[in-house]
Amino acid sequence: MGNIQFLLELIFAGVCVGSVYSLVAHGFNMTFWSSKVLNFGHGPFIMFCSMLILSFLNMGISWAVAIVLGLICISLLGMILERVSIRPLIKYPSSMGWIVSTLGIGLFLQALASKIWGSQAIAYPAFLFTSTDYVSLFSVKLSSQYLLVLFAALFIMLFMEMVMHKTIWGKAMKAVSYDPTLARIMGIKSKLVITYSFILSAILAGIAGFLIAPIYGTVSPDFGMNIMVLGFVATVLGGVGSSKGALTGGILVGVIEKLVGGYLSSSAEHGVAFAILILILAIKPEGLFGSRAVLKV
């Protein structure tokens, strides 16, 4: 019975940790839907919004107002990122310069955060739940803050699925992603659609920031980079551009990590996760929920 209990603890912990990666993966998908671009500055955006919200809290501002102000600031940064890093490269669809460009913006935000707040980790206050709040399921204690992240990831998945498949905005993003020039001829404001997708992606990064930071307990300028890498793994594993894939991929990565850490070694968690990713992609390159791209020449 003890072995089953231990297994359940690892699985439930993996689901909770994986929900963090899922939240990041949703942000990746938002920009991919409109521009086929994955924003590698997403991790620093998570960090920067967390830092901004913490600064507002230290000024005596309430959580609600601090979150709104933080999301407004990070959405403006998302718009700047699109204008500076993406828009000049959209006319060159075969260029991969956006990888360097978005990563460069991310590194700049890290350096800026170090200049403003210092390079040392700063304690982050609890949001809604404390570190001792938990829910008991099958005699397994689950962190309430982790469960909040899981529900947020699930809600965002449902919201994004509805937007993409049930709204005119979703159809416009698909059209712009397929052919921006043709979409513009049809009356769709391609540049505006792409700009809004980066703003929404930045907002998703901000939401991830104030939900995840209390779990870690501290934030620093490099906070978000490791999460971003594993969120990228979840995105690719689930299928780039798939909301269901973002949630499933994140949870799979989290569960695999915890099982490896529990039964083998915690130092091997990330390595085995990447090895399994490579194995799955060798069998199904488009990811679990991705679709094969068919090009006519």
Side-chain angles (χ1 to χ4, degrees), residues 6-289:
F6 182 62
L7 176 62
L8 285 175
E9 288 177 358
L10 292 177
I11 291 174
F12 288 150
V15 170
C16 291
V17 171
S19 65
V20 171
Y21 307 149
S22 300
L23 211 56
V24 178
H26 287 314
F28 275 122
N29 282 336
M30 180 59 72
T31 56
F32 182 82
W33 278 342
S34 65
S35 60
K36 297 295 183 185
V37 168
L38 293 175
N39 176 18
F40 284 97
H42 199 69
F45 269 62
I46 293 173
M47 172 275 300
F48 208 81
C49 190
S50 302
M51 291 286 207
L52 286 171
I53 291 174
L54 181 59
S55 294
F56 292 136
L57 290 173
N58 290 337
M59 294 177 187
I61 299 174
S62 67
W63 264 106
V65 177
I67 289 172
V68 171
L69 291 175
L71 293 180
I72 291 173
C73 292
I74 207 67
S75 63
L76 292 175
L77 282 176
M79 182 176 66
I80 293 171
L81 170 71
E82 188 275 332
R83 293 290 179 90
V84 173
S85 299
I86 302 302
R87 187 168 295 189
L89 299 172
I90 288 294
K91 64 183 73 172
Y92 307 109
S94 61
S95 171
M96 300 295 283
W98 52 265
I99 296 178
V100 178
S101 188
T102 56
L103 186 58
I105 291 290
L107 293 174
F108 170 77
L109 286 179
Q110 274 191 289
L112 182 61
S114 296
K115 188 69 175 177
I116 297 174
W117 294 289
S119 57
Q120 299 300 316
I122 306 172
Y124 209 89
F127 173 67
L128 292 183
F129 303 106
T130 67
S131 59
T132 57
D133 291 331
Y134 66 89
V135 174
S136 183
L137 182 64
F138 299 113
S139 300
V140 177
K141 293 181 179 180
L142 303 176
S143 165
S144 297
Q145 189 69 28
Y146 265 124
L147 290 177
L148 177 63
V149 174
L150 176 60
F151 287 126
L154 180 60
F155 174 80
I156 290 172
M157 182 205 75
L158 295 173
F159 174 76
M160 292 176 73
E161 283 288 305
M162 182 193 71
V163 168
M164 285 304 295
H165 300 295
K166 303 292 184 181
T167 67
I168 295 176
W169 175 256
K171 294 178 181 178
M173 282 200 291
K174 289 179 181 178
V176 171
S177 175
Y178 180 75
D179 191 331
T181 303
L182 181 60
R184 196 158 48 245
I185 293 173
M186 295 174 62
I188 299 173
K189 296 181 179 179
S190 301
K191 292 181 179 179
L192 193 61
V193 169
I194 294 173
T195 299
Y196 281 162
S197 72
F198 272 84
I199 291 174
L200 289 174
S201 177
I203 291 173
L204 289 177
I207 293 172
F210 72 76
L211 289 178
I212 296 171
I215 293 174
Y216 285 78
T218 60
V219 288
S220 61
D222 60 355
F223 172 74
M225 286 299 287
N226 187 50
I227 299 172
M228 182 189 73
V229 172
L230 292 167
F232 174 69
V233 173
T235 305
V236 177
L237 179 60
V240 181
S242 169
S243 296
K244 291 180 289 187
L247 183 65
T248 306
I251 289 175
L252 278 176
V253 172
V255 170
I256 290 169
E257 278 189 351
K258 290 304 176 182
L259 290 176
V260 171
Y263 288 108
L264 296 178
S265 169
S266 59
S267 61
E269 287 182 357
H270 297 340
V272 173
F274 276 99
I276 292 176
L277 169 67
I278 294 170
L279 177 63
I280 292 175
L281 293 182
I283 300 170
K284 202 172 188 298
E286 66 275 15
L288 298 176
F289 290 90

